[in-house]
Amino acid sequence: MPSSRLPSSLSPNALSLALEARRREGRPFLDLTVSNPTRCGFPYPEREVLAALADPSVLAYRPEARGAQSARAAIAAYHGHGLDAGDLLLTASTSEAYAWLFKLLCDPGDDVLVPAPSYPLFHWLAALEGVEARSVPAILHDGWNLDLQGLASACTPRTRAVVVVNPNNPTGHFLAEEDWRGLLAFCAARGLALLVDEVFGDYPLEPRPGSLPTAMAEQAPPCPLFVLSGLSKIAALPQVKLGWIAARGEAARALLEPLSFLADQYLSVSACAQAAAPALLALAPGIRKAILARLAENLAALDRLLAAHPHLSRLPVEGGWSVLVRRPAVDDGETCALALLEAGVLVHPGHFFDLPGEGFLVLSLLPPPEAFQAGIARLAGVLLRS
Ligand SMILES: Cc1ncc(COP(=O)(O)O)c(C=O)c1O
């Protein structure tokens, strides 16, 4: 029997089943959920990426718990804000960074506060460490805001850390500066660590004035602050498997030693990824340029379509790779997504990400423009009929 940390049932949901059946039957569909940038036709500098991964230094094994100094120095220089190689620890992914930080900070039975709506993996990443992830819904008013009172109510004597995502996925919102200051004070007052996931930080699209561009800039926070990022989104190279944890402030830096002990038990980051990091980070702005242009082009196409379909609207996309479309909630999100799939377009219903109500659909802005435009036209047609 698997342990109780794992889900009690691994059966796929109705949308996954319908998708599987459609694939089996060879019926094509337009995928507006794609989040793998390597499958979206972007012009990667292939020769340079391959050359970076073929560094001769990988022929020798030189394990280092925190990760290779050369990779950490390149990451520190990439982020700036006074970050030093000594403030960084490498992981094979951001998901692994979460797992290690939960192991570092929590005993089994402890809990962490996580944002909602957000990235659905938190609950499992926490549960697999014997930790409970307690969701704190953001407030949607004139943009999304942190609910500091909600955080206080969700906090228990066993809460050890707060997680925020800046910009968040899939809402795309950056934290308001005011919320950020409140959050730092909240964590300091309760002795909690603060984990900030900034994997989408380099994809600002329609930023709100007064929002926090990056938590990396916080050099002397009043609580232990860990900022997470990686090559998956920064360089759109998820297959390289390189993430990192940046410790900001003395309290977080003091925890790097036990974190290194933990990392030393795994040594999971490959020599290839570490050796390639400086060159891949240098290529990252060029790779992102094509992605940012695609995000803007698809968003503009969506706006043209929405102008002709007043029954639909979208929320501002402050950053990231997704857009939230609002529809009249005449049925539940799953029924709507199943009807759309039947019509040949795949989208995520909002409840996959804990979005409130039934009226949100989550669309990826990554697909090639022709596929995106055909997909949203079909979506608008189906939703007009419902
Ligand atoms: C908010 C957020 N954090 C982390 C990740 C995963 O990143 P990695 O590939 O580094 O594990 C994702 C992936 O979509 C994400 O949306």
Side-chain angles (χ1 to χ4, degrees), residues 93-95 98 119 165 169 197 199-200 232-233:
S93 65
T94 317
S95 289
Y98 279 116
Y119 183 48
V165 184
N169 176 20
D197 177 335
V199 295
F200 287 110
S232 285
K233 310 292 189 278

Side-chain angles (χ1 to χ4, degrees), residues 156-248:
T156 76
R158 300 210 59 175
T159 303
R160 296 289 171 261
V162 179
V163 175
V164 287
V165 184
N166 188 54
N168 191 29
N169 176 20
T171 59
H173 73 281
F174 284 83
L175 285 164
E177 273 281 358
E178 198 185 340
D179 288 350
W180 174 243
R181 294 287 139 216
L183 183 59
L184 287 172
F186 175 88
C187 291
R190 288 168 175 77
L192 307 178
L194 179 53
L195 278 47
V196 187
D197 177 335
E198 293 201 336
V199 295
F200 287 110
D202 288 333
Y203 293 91
L205 282 178
E206 303 170 325
R208 249 193 308 185
S211 55
L212 178 81
T214 174
M216 289 285 186
E218 198 67 49
Q219 300 198 27
C223 63
L225 169 63
F226 296 99
V227 187
L228 279 49
S229 191
L231 290 185
S232 285
K233 310 292 189 278
I234 276 185
L237 292 168
Q239 72 278 34
V240 174
K241 305 303 295 177
L242 183 66
W244 49 88
I245 298 168
R248 303 267 61 191

Side-chain angles (χ1 to χ4, degrees), residues 49 72 77 119 147 240 250 261 297:
V49 170
R72 287 184 289 118
Y119 183 48
D147 182 358
V240 174
E250 279 315 311
F261 169 83
E297 182 178 353

Side-chain angles (χ1 to χ4, degrees), residues 31-374:
D31 188 353
L32 301 189
T33 68
V34 62
S35 62
N36 178 349
T38 67
R39 306 294 296 272
C40 296
F42 291 114
Y44 283 91
E46 290 175 4
R47 245 179 323 123
E48 290 84 347
V49 170
L50 290 173
L53 291 166
D55 190 299
S57 69
V58 305
L59 292 171
Y61 184 41
R62 297 185 190 88
E64 279 181 64
R66 293 188 186 197
Q69 162 77 20
S70 56
R72 287 184 289 118
I75 295 164
Y78 174 87
H79 284 295
H81 299 295
L83 199 68
D84 181 84
D87 302 330
L88 285 155
L89 184 138
L90 306 188
T91 63
S93 65
T94 317
S95 289
E96 188 174 66
Y98 279 116
W100 288 3
L101 286 168
F102 293 160
K103 254 196 262 289
L104 172 78
L105 299 166
C106 303
D107 283 316
D110 284 346
D111 62 68
V112 294
L113 306 185
V114 301
S118 196
Y119 183 48
L121 231 61
F122 291 137
H123 289 270
W124 289 118
L125 291 172
L128 292 172
E129 303 304 328
V131 171
E132 183 194 355
R134 295 171 62 79
S135 292
V136 181
I139 300 170
L140 176 57
H141 183 49
D142 193 13
W144 296 92
N145 278 93
L146 201 64
D147 182 358
L148 279 169
Q149 288 211 306
L151 274 178
S153 326
C155 207
T156 76
R158 300 210 59 175
T159 303
R160 296 289 171 261
V162 179
V163 175
V164 287
V165 184
N166 188 54
N168 191 29
N169 176 20
T171 59
H173 73 281
F174 284 83
L175 285 164
E177 273 281 358
E178 198 185 340
D179 288 350
W180 174 243
R181 294 287 139 216
L183 183 59
L184 287 172
F186 175 88
C187 291
R190 288 168 175 77
L192 307 178
L194 179 53
L195 278 47
V196 187
D197 177 335
E198 293 201 336
V199 295
F200 287 110
D202 288 333
Y203 293 91
L205 282 178
E206 303 170 325
R208 249 193 308 185
S211 55
L212 178 81
T214 174
M216 289 285 186
E218 198 67 49
Q219 300 198 27
C223 63
L225 169 63
F226 296 99
V227 187
L228 279 49
S229 191
L231 290 185
S232 285
K233 310 292 189 278
I234 276 185
L237 292 168
Q239 72 278 34
V240 174
K241 305 303 295 177
L242 183 66
W244 49 88
I245 298 168
R248 303 267 61 191
E250 279 315 311
R253 266 192 290 275
L255 288 165
L256 280 177
E257 199 180 337
L259 188 60
S260 306
F261 169 83
L262 206 158
D264 204 22
Q265 312 312 308
Y266 296 86
L267 295 169
S268 58
V269 190
S270 85
C272 296
Q274 302 188 59
L280 296 181
L281 283 169
L283 295 171
I287 297 173
R288 282 203 305 273
K289 202 167 161 209
I291 299 180
L292 280 160
R294 169 84 56 87
L295 301 172
E297 182 178 353
N298 283 344
L299 206 48
L302 179 62
D303 284 341
R304 286 194 298 276
L305 179 103
L306 294 180
H309 290 86
H311 61 300
L312 300 176
S313 61
R314 73 162 175 98
L315 264 49
V317 182
E318 293 177 37
W321 292 355
S322 313
V323 58
L324 303 188
V325 169
R326 261 185 163 152
R327 63 168 190 119
V330 290
D331 51 14
D332 65 75
E334 183 169 82
T335 306
C336 173
L338 286 168
L340 286 168
L341 182 60
E342 190 48 39
V345 55
L346 178 65
V347 302
H348 278 140
H351 71 264
F352 277 19
F353 299 88
D354 270 348
L355 278 149
E358 300 292 343
F360 283 113
L361 297 173
V362 180
L363 274 52
S364 167
L365 289 167
L366 288 185
E370 319 73 61
F372 184 79
Q373 287 169 32

